Amino acid sequence: MGMISEFKEFAMRGNVIDLAVGVVIGGAFGKIVTALVDQIIMPPIGMLTGGIDFSELKWVLKPADASNPAHKVAEVAIQYGAFINTLIQFVIIAFAIFLMVKTINRLSRKQEAAAPVAPPPTPEDVLLLRAIRDSLTKGSE
């Protein structure tokens, strides 16, 4: 029972749950960015480049052979167009994360500036020296 209770304690920590939420939201954000790149950004880029669909770009190493139905050979190709799409998706995700972090940093700086800064506590040696000074001034009066 000890291991189960330890696991429950571990799984219910705030950091683990925050991480799980972040992974789920990150996966959904990745799908949104993929749709944005594939459906919105790449068609105009393809139109500007003469109708090229980057996702279809590939370098065929060995063409498919379907002449023998009993022994079909699949195409072997390096699909560099899909890699280009993935790079564009990465740039978009990195830029979105940059904007989020920049916004969060700006908000946290505003909160820090708005919060009054309490003076640091007086060190103990200074308090002792003040007490000695006060006792000496009372004794000389």
Side-chain angles (χ1 to χ4, degrees), residues 103-116:
T103 303
I104 290 170
N105 286 342
R106 188 177 321 138
L107 291 174
S108 67
R109 270 190 245 125
K110 285 182 183 178
Q111 289 175 351
E112 288 175 6

Side-chain angles (χ1 to χ4, degrees), residues 3-130:
M3 184 184 284
I4 293 173
S5 62
E6 285 182 50
F7 177 73
K8 181 179 176 185
E9 180 183 335
F10 167 77
M12 298 313 279
R13 282 189 193 157
N15 293 343
V16 174
I17 293 175
D18 292 344
L19 178 64
V21 169
V23 167
V24 170
I25 290 175
F29 184 70
K31 290 180 182 180
I32 291 170
V33 171
T34 300
L36 175 71
V37 170
D38 292 343
Q39 307 300 322
I40 295 174
I41 294 175
M42 292 312 287
I45 291 176
M47 187 177 74
L48 291 173
T49 59
I52 297 173
D53 181 8
F54 284 97
S55 64
E56 298 292 323
L57 294 177
K58 60 186 171 183
W59 181 32
V60 178
L61 300 175
K62 182 178 177 186
D65 183 16
S67 60
N68 183 358
H71 185 57
K72 294 181 182 178
V73 177
E75 177 182 74
V76 177
I78 297 174
Q79 298 182 348
Y80 64 91
F83 180 71
I84 292 171
N85 278 354
T86 304
L87 282 176
I88 293 171
Q89 289 172 8
F90 171 77
V91 169
I92 291 171
I93 289 172
F95 185 68
I97 290 173
F98 166 75
L99 290 177
M100 284 181 7
V101 169
K102 186 175 179 178
T103 303
I104 290 170
N105 286 342
R106 188 177 321 138
L107 291 174
S108 67
R109 270 190 245 125
K110 285 182 183 178
Q111 289 175 351
E112 288 175 6
V117 177
T122 307
E124 190 174 334
D125 57 344
V126 173
L127 293 174
L128 289 173
L129 288 171
R130 286 181 185 169

